[in-house]
Each structure stands twice: as structure tokens, then as C-alpha cells.
Amino acid sequence: MDIIEKNQTSGFSTRVELMFPKLRDAEKKVVDFVMENRNEIIHLSITEVAERSSASESTVVRVCKRLGYKGFQDLKISLAREVVEPAKHIHEVIEPSDSTLTIKRKVFQANIQALYDTLEVCSDEELEKAVLLLKQSDRIEIYGTGASGNVALDAQHKFLKFGIKTNAPSDVHIQLMSASLLRPGDVAIGISHTGTNKDTLEIMKTAKNQGASLICITNFSKSPLTKISDICLFTASKETLFRTDATASRIAQLTIIDTLLASVATLDYQYYFENVQKTREATLLKRI
């Protein structure tokens, strides 16, 4: 079998992988204890966890919230669910001996896993902030290069269908010119899997200097792009050999874009619904 069951807490582990570099030493002790005793943790009280990890109860609560849980009980419920219903994983690395059927299963499962993991690490609070910011914005510019540039173009296409005016220039020089003309009230969305792309960073810094609000979509919490952005929306995907074009990360990025668009549209449902009808009718003859 290519799909194997592992008794591990995928959701918790994904959140830890994202946030661990940002945690304080005392908080890291709590995380290490939970990771090492994940099957036992659901039977322990917050006091026991604090004592056995040499931390305070307030530190345990703070760790839970920094990982995106409502509190200690929410963490326990999540861990219990993952222990009772072990996640199905697949080894992403494609081997020379793999058959087409095996490769199909590996690629599909890796992309599915990227979406599940992104669902865990993409903050609800940050998403809601991003939606309100986009709804109130005067102008939206979307920046990315390479594979991320394709995501930016897709986002522009989708937003335009709803009547939301956006721009996603593909040329880096035009992106810089665009960013230099932004003003307070405008929004710049920067897409970069690593968060270290030099062009995207320069463009986003230019937009920030003009007073625009910055939203980034990236896979790494400890990156230069997150440090300058006002709102960070995280993906979670691991790229391996034969996946150098960041397929899984693009799918996660596109899904975040879809979530933003659908959420903005529900804030004025009838208006955006009518816009979708208009844009569909405008291109109807092209489908014949």
C-alpha cells in the first residue's frame, strides 16, 4: 500500500512547525512535552502539564493560543480526535521504481495533505482581518514572481469576475512602478512560498513606504516577508524531488485566494452576484 496510516497528530505538528521558531524558551518546553506525550496529554490537567514541563499554567495557556487553539481544552479535544482517528499520510518522495499508479496516489495525497495542513495553520483571525481590509480598500495590487506570479494572475482573474478591481502585473519593473504609486487605503498582496524572494520583498517594501497595507501569503512564519506585512496568511506544504514547481504550495495559495474572494463577496452578496452574472454574460459568446 502506498497510503500508510501513522498514529500522529498531523494538525498539531503542522502548527508547531510553523510557530516553534517564534516561541519563547519556556513555551518551547511545553511544546516539547506535548509532542513527546501526545497520547497521554488528553488525560492530564493543565496543572499537571505545567508541572511536568517545568512551566506555569499561564505559559501553557499562552502556548495553546499561540498555536491557534482557544485554550487548553480545545488543544486536548484536537489531540484526542487525531489520536482516535489517525491521519492518513503518504510518502511524498517519488522513487525511480514507482509505477504511474503509485505516483498518482502520492501526488494527489500530497496535495490533499497540503490543504489539510494549511487549514490548520491559516489563522481565522488573520483571514477575517484580510477580508475586511480588502472590502474597504481603494485599490488592490497582487505581486508574485515565477509560480507565485501565476497565482497572482489567477487571483486577478477571479476578483475581476466579481467586479473587484485588482491588478497583477507580471513584469517586475511594472510591479515596482505600481507599488510606488500606492497610497494609504490601498492593499498590496505579496505571494511567495519562501517569503524570501528578493523582487517580491523589494516591491512590498516599496508599497509599504507609500502607506499601503500589506497582506502576504507564504509558507514560512519566520521570513523577511512576514516581518514587513500587516497580515500574514500561511500555507503548509513540503516540496520534494520532482515537485520543484511548488505544486502543493500553489494549490494552497489558490485556496486561500478563493477563501478571501468568497468571504468578501458575502459582505455584499447581491451586488457581487449581479457582477458575476454580468461577466458571465459578457463572455458567453466566446464559449460557443
Side-chain angles (χ1 to χ4, degrees):
M1 288 292 292
D2 297 303
I3 299 179
I4 57 176
E5 293 188 356
K6 294 184 179 180
N7 190 9
Q8 63 179 34
T9 54
S10 172
F12 177 76
S13 298
T14 300
R15 297 186 188 207
V16 169
E17 184 177 352
L18 177 73
M19 291 301 300
F20 198 80
K22 293 185 175 182
L23 300 179
R24 299 173 181 173
D25 290 341
E27 295 169 340
K28 289 180 179 179
K29 288 182 180 180
V30 174
V31 170
D32 287 337
F33 174 78
V34 175
M35 291 289 287
E36 294 170 2
N37 302 275
R38 59 185 71 188
N39 290 341
E40 181 185 0
I41 205 75
I42 58 179
H43 305 294
L44 300 178
S45 67
I46 188 172
T47 302
E48 291 172 314
V49 172
E51 289 178 351
R52 292 177 60 177
S53 61
S54 301
S56 64
E57 292 184 17
S58 60
T59 300
V60 176
V61 172
R62 187 167 61 248
V63 167
C64 293
K65 292 186 176 180
R66 295 199 69 181
L67 293 178
Y69 298 103
K70 296 178 181 178
F72 182 63
Q73 289 302 317
D74 188 29
L75 169 64
K76 288 178 65 173
I77 292 171
S78 179
L79 288 175
R81 184 185 305 117
E82 292 173 343
V83 169
V84 173
E85 300 174 1
K88 289 185 176 180
H89 289 267
I90 193 163
H91 195 252
E92 291 187 3
V93 178
I94 296 175
E95 305 292 349
S97 59
D98 286 345
S99 66
T100 300
L101 177 59
T102 298
I103 292 172
K104 182 190 77 171
R105 289 176 176 172
K106 286 185 176 183
V107 171
F108 271 73
Q109 188 60 39
N111 291 341
I112 291 169
Q113 191 62 48
L115 290 179
Y116 275 121
D117 290 345
T118 298
L119 184 62
E120 290 289 337
V121 303
C122 191
S123 165
D124 294 341
E125 183 179 353
E126 292 287 276
L127 265 174
E128 290 178 353
K129 288 180 181 178
V131 169
L132 291 177
L133 192 61
L134 291 173
K135 182 65 173 68
Q136 298 166 1
S137 66
D138 298 321
R139 177 180 172 186
I140 302 171
E141 296 286 312
I142 310 174
Y143 305 117
T145 63
S148 295
N150 293 330
V151 175
L153 288 172
D154 183 79
Q156 179 189 22
H157 173 255
K158 289 175 178 175
F159 273 74
L160 182 59
K161 287 178 67 175
F162 281 75
I164 302 172
K165 296 179 181 179
T166 61
N167 190 33
S170 56
D171 182 84
V172 171
H173 291 89
I174 295 178
Q175 289 181 18
L176 278 168
M177 292 184 343
S178 160
S180 71
L181 296 174
L182 294 179
R183 300 176 298 177
D186 296 335
V187 176
I189 301 177
I191 306 172
S192 172
H193 176 70
T194 62
T196 60
N197 183 278
K198 291 183 179 180
D199 288 331
T200 302
L201 280 172
E202 184 181 4
I203 292 159
M204 292 291 277
K205 287 178 181 177
T206 301
K208 189 177 187 69
N209 290 337
Q210 298 306 309
S213 298
L214 306 189
I215 299 173
C216 74
I217 301 177
T218 184
N219 203 82
F220 297 94
S221 62
K222 199 173 183 180
S223 67
L225 184 58
T226 62
K227 292 179 180 178
I228 64 172
S229 297
D230 301 298
I231 298 174
C232 300
L233 304 177
F234 293 111
T235 59
S237 65
K238 296 181 177 63
E239 303 306 327
T240 60
L241 187 64
F242 297 116
R243 298 174 64 76
T244 54
D245 288 334
T247 304
S249 65
R250 278 208 310 276
I251 290 174
Q253 291 165 355
L254 289 166
T255 304
I256 287 180
I257 293 293
D258 287 348
T259 302
L260 289 173
L261 177 59
S263 298
V264 170
T266 58
L267 297 179
D268 194 346
Y269 187 89
Q270 188 60 35
Y271 171 75
Y272 290 116
F273 176 78
E274 291 175 359
N275 284 343
V276 170
Q277 294 300 106
K278 289 178 182 178
T279 54
R280 283 179 177 171
E281 289 174 5
T283 59
L284 184 61
L285 292 178
K286 297 297 183 181
R287 303 175 196 172
I288 299 175

